Amino acid sequence: MPLAAGAAARTEWTDEALMHAIAARDEIAFGVLYDRYVDLVYSASLRVLGDPQLAEDATQDIFVRLWRRPESFIPDRGRFLSWLMSVVRNRAVDELRARGRRQRREATVTTSEGEDDQVSLIPSGEGDDPILAAQLHEEQVLVRKALAELPAEQRMALELAYFGGLTQQQIAVALHEPLGTVKTRIRLGMLKLRRSLGGQVRD
Amino acid sequence: MTPEHISHEQADEFAIGAMAPDVRTYVAFHIDSCASCAEIVRESEEAAAALLLAVPRRQPPGRLRENVLRSAGIRKAGPIGRIVQVATASAGVAAVIVAIASFTGMVSVRDQMNGLREENGRLQTQIDDALSQKVEILALTREVQEQEQLTNDLKTASRGDRDLILALSSPNASVAEVITVDPNQVAIGRLVWDAEQKKVWFIAAHLPQRPNGETYQIWVNSGGRYVSLGTFNTDVSGFARYETFVPQGLASYESAVVTIEHANGALERSGPSVFVSDLSRLRR
Ligand SMILES: [Zn+2]
């Protein structure tokens, strides 16, 4: 191609614009999107899988699939970041199930509260991209605050489902609680999450 | 399970992954054909996804990037330079994805331009005068458009070329002459700045193609700081048309400069200058 528009302009593109370009086989756009989100995808995979090698494999798999099948992202159905996180979650939980690591996660999920102190010391991976980093950081702060304000049992129910891949029946069994109690915790937990994120509040 | 719409509670259970497999299958099936339920589930999924945004940030091993690019079958993509972020584009996807003309499309337009220049020197002189005086060229463009051949050719030109022509005919567009630094250079350039579309075009002719490993890079000087507008190269005949968005975060822009940088573009302006352009009198 005689006109090689470089990465410079693309770093200013929205996620959705980059995905559009990736669908048109724009390799530079893919590189920019990779750099923007690799730390987040890796960290999220690591959170679910608890194993650096598995997290690395999952991250590679997610990005390669994103390049090969960019049409799996449908802009009308929500923003890119949420879609990406659901891809990460599903990929990681599938892995978790395949490897039979569920027992291990159940045992460690209760320790997650302690991570927050450590978090603030770690710069996010978007340091090269100040505005994006600020947006992500702001969102991260909101979510962490929201999670910190959740009663422990609600947070645990959400994390066992989302990070542990457990159904509410399985959570009820694991926690020796009635199914109705678990359902209520999930409902209240989600309601508070949405509220703190500024989303639509529902009954 | 009922063959009904999905409740908010079910949407939450679905999004967080807590649903029993049979109910989950039903919900997935239902939202495929029910837009209102799909929207409810989408909201729940946004909230659930936030759980992952909050995880402690870790960096993957450096080898991962190479592995991903190799597995994806991409060889050229990277390393991406750490380039100053100016603003997050908020325009719609269609507006952001700039249609870069195909090679044949550009050759076609270039030939038209050259042909036009040869057969109508008077018009070219007028255009040049207009450009250098940074005046509106609406009337001249109308005159150009009256030439049937050009109009027909433009119809077949790429969308990107039409955008440029539209910008040139827009009262919101400003055109800045670009001056070669080397007086022996025959290269000519124009910078078209469209405040309404928030786009900027750079067009050059007779500008030598950069060899592998080098690129041209455009910078805009804002309060003494050079912000990259991106990189481009010319084709074998020395022609280039590069377009990008006007950086939104900049309070002012005094001048633009084109430099020669290493292939992926530079973080800071560092290479030799080829062109300079005065932007101080552009319409904002
Ligand atoms: Zn429905």
Side-chain angles (χ1 to χ4, degrees), chain A residues 2-4 6 11-12 14 17 20 35 43 56 60 68 77 118 122 129 140 143-144 168 194 200 202, chain B residues 8 12-13 18 42-44 50 52-54 57-58 60 63 65 71 80 85 89 93 97 231 233 241:
Chain A
L3 279 188
T11 58
E12 295 162 20
T14 61
H20 195 99
D35 289 339
S43 307
E56 189 180 336
Q60 177 168 336
R68 291 190 180 145
R77 294 199 186 159
Q118 187 187 348
I122 301 165
D129 215 349
Q140 233 174 3
V143 175
R144 286 187 184 140
Q168 51 204 357
R194 244 200 315 273
Q200 195 183 329
R202 308 183 313 220
Chain B
H8 292 312
D12 281 348
E13 290 171 4
R42 189 189 64 73
E43 281 175 18
S44 294
L52 282 180
L53 292 180
R57 215 49 80 83
R58 302 276 186 271
R63 63 176 175 267
R65 197 177 201 279
S71 301
I80 302 301
Q85 167 87 4
V93 171
I97 298 301
T231 60
N233 203 351
R241 197 210 66 202

Side-chain angles (χ1 to χ4, degrees), chain B residues 1-33:
Chain B
M1 128 178 109
T2 57
E4 290 169 358
H5 288 301
I6 288 150
S7 68
H8 292 312
E9 192 175 347
Q10 285 174 315
D12 281 348
E13 290 171 4
F14 180 85
I16 202 76
M19 249 177 187
D22 55 337
V23 194
R24 181 171 186 81
T25 306
Y26 169 73
V27 172
F29 178 76
H30 180 81
I31 60 176
D32 242 14
S33 58

Side-chain angles (χ1 to χ4, degrees), chain B residues 138-190:
Chain B
L138 180 58
L140 290 170
T141 308
R142 279 207 192 105
E143 196 175 341
V144 169
Q145 285 168 338
E146 280 165 14
Q147 300 192 26
E148 195 179 336
Q149 181 59 45
L150 178 63
T151 308
N152 286 340
D153 287 344
L154 286 176
K155 279 180 186 164
T156 63
S158 73
R159 170 69 182 272
D161 294 320
R162 285 203 299 271
D163 285 350
L164 174 57
I165 300 297
L166 283 173
L168 280 169
S169 63
S170 156
N172 295 307
S174 304
V175 182
E177 189 173 9
V178 181
I179 299 152
T180 50
V181 172
D182 177 358
N184 297 318
Q185 277 273 7
V186 293
I188 55 168
R190 293 289 181 272

